[in-house]
Amino acid sequence: YQRRVRGRYNSVILQLSLRLSNTHTHTQTHSIKMAAVNPDNMYSYVSTATFDSKQFSPCRFRTALCPDRCGHARELFVFTIVTINATKNEANDQHAKWVTPVAVGEQVHCGETELGNFLGVANGLVPGQQVKLNWNHDYVDGSPIRPVVLLEAI
């Protein structure tokens, strides 16, 4: 259900941007497209963590595209938080009030999409290694995302 609604929302944005671009108002088209993809930051985390393991997470067979076309099966990198500083974005309390911040001792699972440019660093880690791990907890189009902004071995 959530994907269908999100798909409708994106098609409305696309239709609206096409209408605006046909009237030669490119500035308005650009701002509407950006509003649909800009994340709302709820929390920013600065932490030190211990790398625990790399695990394979199988597909859970929850959509019509499962298991061969969904992309749900993926490698996860598991970290245990040693120290953490969570900064709440007070300007975005609408979504942040529903989030419980990550605490010391909790495990954080990062997939390849969350790691982005830091995937090479993550692949070079060995279990038990201490790292600096910083990430954001953002809200985009009705779903949370947690992109890693720093991953560095200590």
Side-chain angles (χ1 to χ4, degrees):
Y1 176 71
Q2 201 171 27
R3 279 200 177 138
R4 281 192 0 228
V5 171
R6 194 177 320 150
R8 286 184 195 156
Y9 174 74
N10 288 339
S11 67
V12 169
I13 293 295
L14 179 62
Q15 290 170 4
L16 184 57
S17 66
L18 288 174
R19 286 185 193 139
L20 289 173
S21 64
N22 288 339
T23 60
H24 304 292
T25 54
H26 297 289
T27 306
Q28 290 175 348
T29 302
H30 179 68
S31 64
I32 289 173
K33 285 181 183 176
M34 293 306 291
V37 294
N38 281 343
D40 292 328
N41 179 265
M42 293 183 281
Y43 278 91
S44 294
Y45 295 97
V46 175
S47 71
T48 56
T50 303
F51 175 67
D52 293 332
S53 65
K54 182 177 175 179
Q55 301 174 352
F56 179 74
S57 176
C59 174
R60 307 255 193 264
F61 303 102
R62 294 186 177 175
T63 69
L65 298 176
C66 296
D68 56 345
R69 294 178 293 159
C70 65
H72 295 145
R74 61 190 186 140
E75 294 289 332
L76 292 177
F77 296 84
V78 182
F79 300 90
T80 300
I81 302 300
V82 177
T83 64
I84 192 161
N85 181 10
T87 305
K88 182 179 179 180
N89 182 359
E90 297 297 335
N92 189 14
D93 194 47
Q94 176 187 1
H95 300 298
K97 67 183 176 184
W98 303 108
V99 175
T100 302
V102 176
V104 171
E106 289 187 33
Q107 285 190 331
V108 175
H109 298 84
C110 299
E112 295 172 353
T113 54
E114 290 90 1
L115 287 166
N117 295 335
F118 300 103
L119 184 58
V121 176
N123 280 321
L125 295 174
V126 294
Q129 190 170 6
Q130 296 289 310
V131 297
K132 290 182 184 178
L133 176 65
N134 301 352
W135 75 96
N136 292 328
H137 188 149
D138 299 334
Y139 195 77
V140 178
D141 286 341
S143 298
I145 60 170
R146 295 169 187 87
V148 173
V149 294
L150 175 71
L151 178 61
E152 175 179 287
I154 299 177

